[in-house]
Amino acid sequence: MCGIVGYIGKKNAVDVILKGLKKLEYRGYDSAGIAVVVDKELYIRRSVGKLCNLSASLEKNPVNANIGIGHTRWATHGKPSEENAHPHMDPTKSIVIVHNGIIENYVELRAKLQIYGQEFKSETDTEVIAHLIKKHYKNNLLHATQKTLSEVRGSYALGIVCKDEPDKIICARRDAPLIIGVGKGENFIASDIPALLPYTRDMIFLENGDIAEITADKIIIKDIKDNIINREMKNIQWDAAQAEKDGYKHFMLKEIFEQPRTIEDTFRGRIYPDEGKVYIEEVKLKEEYIRNISNIYVVACGTAYYAGLVSRFLFENFSKIPTEVDIASEFRYREPILNEKTLVVIISQSGETADTLAALRLAKSKGCQTLAVCNVLGSSISREAMHVIYTHCGPEIGVASTKAFTGQLTALYIFALDLASKKGKLTNEELKKYLKELWEIPLKISEFLKNTESVQAIAKVFAHKRDFLYLGRYVNYPVALEGALKLKEISYIHAEGYAAGEMKHGPIALIDESMPIVAIVVESKVYEKTISNIEEAKARGGTIIVVANESDKEIRDKSDYIICVPKTDEFVSPIMTVIPLQLLAYYISVFLGCDVDQPRNLAKSVTVE
Ligand code: M6R
């Protein structure tokens, strides 16, 4: 997730772009850059770190221009550095672009260009687009862009400027947001509404496949085949605070609803279900090492630890590798049996959690191979781990982790499948089937999110309860733990997550008429067993709220409230079943009037022991 702003008109483009980027910093902040055209020359300025570094550099050496594009980066390909910061140029320095998204076939495209001797200055997937546009350029930037985009696979929001056509910005969109702000004698582009609100409330929301040519007085939208496209202009009434949250009341809610996209972004370019292929570019574990892995340790804290608990089922079922999962603050003080055949998987959204970082260092000191699943590029954990799989979720602002969890589950799922297939433990047909299951998840979550009324109604009924019990089994046991954690964190209600089969060994004593029990009972090999556990709880007077598959008729007699989710394969089901639990916690917190995004006593990143 990155932020893009572009301007053409009579104002100083630098001011408009910097102010706009400031509003988009929530989308990324590891580096920033700007490109403007003055007297048919391109001026580019880029800085590592937050936007203030770029602003300081521009204050020192000011530039004044009427056209420009800018970018604030949340890196996906290539570390945060000046070379990797946007904008990127073609080798002749005449075309410059900013990009938000992921180009899936950039390795292939770059290799083709390199055959003709083209040199690349960055490690990004983006630079290849600037090179391709130049290759196709015959005095018409729009046509060159259309040709380029017919060769590109992946997601993009693009802003493009050419020094030889200094009166226009070209922009394009596929699976990444892009808005045109319509002004009088000036026009704008941006990734999100807040960047443009100080200037205009008239906006055009580009759709997938749209390519627009924007001058100060005119906006023409076309498709790749040069057909004219008509898009309605909308007048935005939101205030600035609403706009930052995309119209949602809280960042947490926005982040819950972002999940279909963030999950897709995490597997995009890494899985090919039709061919049964997984390609995780950043992981360079040698085949011989993979064959000889003796055991896996997964280490993390909080929500990331629960993602780790799910991964144990994946590593053991798919790859047949013995796997242990530990809380980082425990792992670092016991004497884990580690050697060079142990793979240590470290999971952290922030990449800065002190205990998790210490666990990583311990594993390295024992000679283990270390692999991090991390959301923040350039963070300590991602820098120190030997291999990293980034979750491409963008900045998570709500303290309660939501989209990072499903991103972690996605990354771990594809890594476990990759490992299994490299070890020869999965046939190509099996791999195809499992990849297809993941591929379908974003759509299923989107379907579920279209109607959240049942969750809101349940939240209203139970918001004033003092205690909750969450039950799940097998791959959904960690989801029960995560559901309980979400409720505790943001509503301050006491909640316990339990393995449903373990309940009769103690916690069943807690159950009476006042105890709501949230149970995850989706299709899996433990379905019948979980039903029996629910019956035990119901027999003690507990009120049963189930997360179940839409098709499940049997569950209706055995529960008091049902939240229906689409059916999935059991191994991907945690990515689906956690969504209603995130929402339940959210709505309860709202009913209680709690501070959803910044709950008491908590910090987003725990950098102390
Ligand atoms: O940044 P990390 O993933 O390392 O953070 C780990 C935990 O602190 C984090 O998941 C915490 O439990 C969240 N607040 C949960 O919502």
Side-chain angles (χ1 to χ4, degrees):
M1 195 153 100
C2 305
I4 288 177
V5 180
Y7 175 77
I8 182 158
K10 291 196 177 53
K11 297 191 174 77
N12 182 3
V14 175
D15 294 342
V16 177
I17 292 167
L18 285 180
K19 275 191 198 128
L21 290 178
K22 186 80 207 137
K23 293 282 177 201
L24 298 185
E25 252 194 323
Y26 77 88
R27 300 179 66 85
Y29 40 73
D30 61 47
S31 53
I34 191 167
V36 295
V37 189
V38 185
D39 297 333
K40 283 203 148 196
E41 279 308 319
L42 278 177
Y43 285 82
I44 297 191
R45 210 67 69 72
R46 302 184 294 189
S47 298
V48 181
K50 292 205 168 185
L51 188 67
C52 53
N53 298 347
L54 179 69
S55 304
S57 145
L58 283 158
E59 248 170 54
K60 254 196 205 159
N61 292 305
V63 49
N64 208 312
N66 301 122
I67 175 170
I69 48 179
H71 188 268
T72 177
R73 182 167 186 245
W74 180 260
T76 57
H77 294 72
K79 59 185 174 299
S81 64
E82 207 169 306
E83 296 74 47
N84 290 334
H86 297 218
H88 290 287
M89 276 192 292
D90 77 294
T92 67
K93 300 189 170 55
S94 52
I95 290 163
V96 68
I97 72 166
V98 288
H99 168 220
N100 167 34
I102 297 167
I103 304 303
E104 289 170 18
N105 57 339
Y106 82 99
V107 175
E108 181 188 318
L109 293 171
R110 191 167 56 186
K112 275 192 200 157
L113 289 162
Q114 278 165 334
I115 293 176
Y116 299 103
Q118 301 233 2
E119 274 181 32
F120 287 80
K121 301 254 180 295
S122 76
E123 303 158 310
T124 64
D125 52 336
T126 303
E127 196 183 349
V128 78
I129 301 180
H131 284 238
L132 278 176
I133 296 177
K134 179 62 192 175
K135 185 179 140 200
H136 295 304
Y137 186 70
K138 289 195 183 86
N139 302 319
N140 189 321
L141 188 58
L142 177 69
H143 288 169
T145 306
Q146 286 165 321
K147 271 204 163 159
T148 298
L149 294 182
S150 67
E151 294 171 27
V152 159
R153 270 200 330 265
S155 62
Y156 48 78
L158 289 166
I160 307 159
V161 164
C162 173
K163 75 180 174 63
D164 301 320
E165 296 179 60
D167 60 339
K168 65 182 68 148
I169 299 175
I170 303 293
C171 64
R173 175 210 149 122
R174 177 165 300 281
D175 290 339
L178 198 62
I179 300 161
I180 300 175
V182 184
K184 290 197 172 67
E186 58 182 0
N187 285 311
F188 310 77
I189 61 168
S191 302
D192 202 356
I193 296 168
L196 304 184
L197 281 183
Y199 310 102
T200 179
R201 288 184 171 267
D202 292 332
M203 303 197 189
I204 299 170
F205 293 80
L206 291 182
E207 304 268 346
N208 281 346
D210 290 354
I211 304 173
E213 184 179 78
I214 301 168
T215 63
D217 310 301
K218 210 169 176 186
I219 296 162
I220 301 170
I221 305 174
K222 293 191 168 178
D223 66 11
I224 214 156
K225 295 196 172 127
D226 215 36
N227 299 309
I228 296 271
I229 306 287
N230 292 309
R231 296 271 172 240
E232 194 191 332
M233 187 172 77
K234 298 206 168 106
N235 187 269
I236 303 298
Q237 298 297 335
W238 293 349
D239 62 32
Q242 264 177 315
E244 259 168 49
K245 294 179 189 124
D246 214 4
Y248 292 100
K249 204 168 164 200
H250 298 98
F251 280 110
M252 182 181 174
L253 190 62
K254 173 172 178 263
E255 286 159 5
I256 291 173
F257 275 79
E258 268 173 9
Q259 289 176 104
R261 190 179 48 72
T262 52
I263 292 165
E264 200 170 316
D265 281 350
T266 299
F267 68 61
R268 188 187 285 285
R270 290 169 166 164
I271 66 166
Y272 302 90
D274 292 343
E275 297 147 48
K277 280 218 169 84
V278 179
Y279 176 67
I280 313 175
E281 199 210 343
E282 313 95 307
V283 179
K284 308 244 182 313
L285 288 169
K286 298 212 169 74
E287 300 246 333
E288 195 200 333
Y289 172 78
I290 291 177
R291 273 198 302 278
N292 292 318
I293 294 175
S294 59
N295 60 325
I296 298 179
Y297 265 99
V298 186
V299 190
C301 297
T303 289
Y305 166 69
Y306 296 146
L309 286 178
V310 174
S311 77
R312 175 169 57 196
F313 294 98
L314 309 177
F315 291 131
E316 293 190 340
N317 274 283
F318 295 150
S319 325
K320 313 291 178 217
I321 305 175
T323 305
E324 268 199 65
V325 190
D326 211 348
I327 294 166
S329 54
E330 291 296 317
F331 177 85
R332 61 184 292 196
Y333 289 113
R334 66 193 181 95
E335 290 295 324
I337 313 298
L338 304 168
N339 60 50
E340 61 286 356
K341 288 190 181 166
T342 310
L343 173 66
V344 176
V345 177
I346 296 285
I347 311 170
S348 176
Q349 186 284 130
S350 62
E352 300 296 347
T353 302
D355 285 317
T356 314
L357 183 58
L360 167 67
R361 289 177 179 161
L362 173 68
K364 278 176 81 178
S365 73
K366 301 277 180 182
C368 308
Q369 289 275 325
T370 54
L371 171 108
V373 173
C374 201
N375 194 37
V376 180
L377 208 131
S379 57
S380 306
I381 289 174
S382 68
R383 277 186 280 115
E384 292 190 28
M386 295 164 170
H387 311 268
V388 189
I389 307 179
Y390 289 107
T391 52
H392 296 157
C393 299
E396 191 179 60
I397 307 222
V399 165
S401 191
T402 52
K403 62 177 179 173
F405 180 67
T406 49
Q408 288 156 357
L409 293 178
T410 303
L412 290 161
Y413 183 82
I414 59 177
F415 175 63
L417 288 175
D418 193 30
L419 214 53
S421 89
K422 287 187 173 142
K423 283 179 79 69
K425 302 286 184 198
L426 280 182
T427 64
N428 192 256
E429 282 315 301
E430 287 169 324
L431 186 58
K432 280 183 184 170
K433 173 186 153 252
Y434 287 126
L435 292 176
K436 193 161 170 287
E437 286 291 339
L438 178 63
W439 192 266
E440 289 171 355
I441 279 282
L443 198 65
K444 290 181 180 173
I445 296 176
S446 299
E447 276 306 308
F448 172 76
L449 289 173
K450 278 184 190 155
N451 187 354
T452 60
E453 274 163 26
S454 65
V455 188
Q456 290 187 54
I458 294 169
K460 199 169 178 183
V461 174
F462 294 98
H464 294 282
K465 291 286 179 184
R466 269 192 27 222
D467 306 283
F468 270 73
L469 200 55
Y470 283 71
L471 300 179
R473 284 187 85 131
Y474 194 52
V475 285
N476 279 299
Y477 162 47
V479 179
L481 296 172
E482 172 62 4
L485 176 64
K486 287 287 89 83
L487 189 68
K488 282 185 264 210
E489 277 188 295
I490 59 170
S491 70
Y492 321 135
I493 294 174
H494 168 242
E496 300 257 10
Y498 259 93
E502 179 67 6
M503 195 188 50
K504 55 182 154 314
H505 299 284
I508 201 163
L510 292 169
I511 298 176
D512 62 15
E513 289 71 24
S514 63
M515 172 73 92
I517 296 152
V518 182
I520 306 149
V521 207
V522 289
E523 199 162 287
S524 85
K525 72 173 185 191
V526 292
Y527 173 81
E528 300 291 345
K529 302 277 173 207
T530 320
I531 294 271
S532 308
N533 301 140
I534 287 175
E535 282 178 319
E536 290 157 13
K538 197 159 171 54
R540 269 85 186 168
T543 311
I544 313 289
I545 303 157
V546 292
V547 174
N549 291 133
E550 285 147 349
S551 49
D552 189 345
K553 302 281 177 273
E554 198 187 331
I555 198 81
R556 289 168 207 273
D557 305 331
K558 305 190 188 309
S559 54
D560 299 293
Y561 296 85
I562 305 183
I563 304 170
C564 289
V565 292
K567 205 158 117 184
T568 63
D569 178 72
E570 60 186 354
F571 290 115
V572 288
S573 66
I575 310 180
M576 180 76 241
T577 53
V578 74
I579 311 281
L581 304 191
Q582 296 168 344
L583 279 171
L584 182 64
Y586 171 79
Y587 288 122
I588 290 180
S589 175
V590 172
F591 279 124
L592 295 177
C594 300
D595 187 343
V596 174
D597 284 331
Q598 287 174 325
R600 72 184 182 205
N601 306 341
L602 292 176
K604 184 68 191 158
S605 179
V606 185
T607 52
V608 290
E609 199 183 333

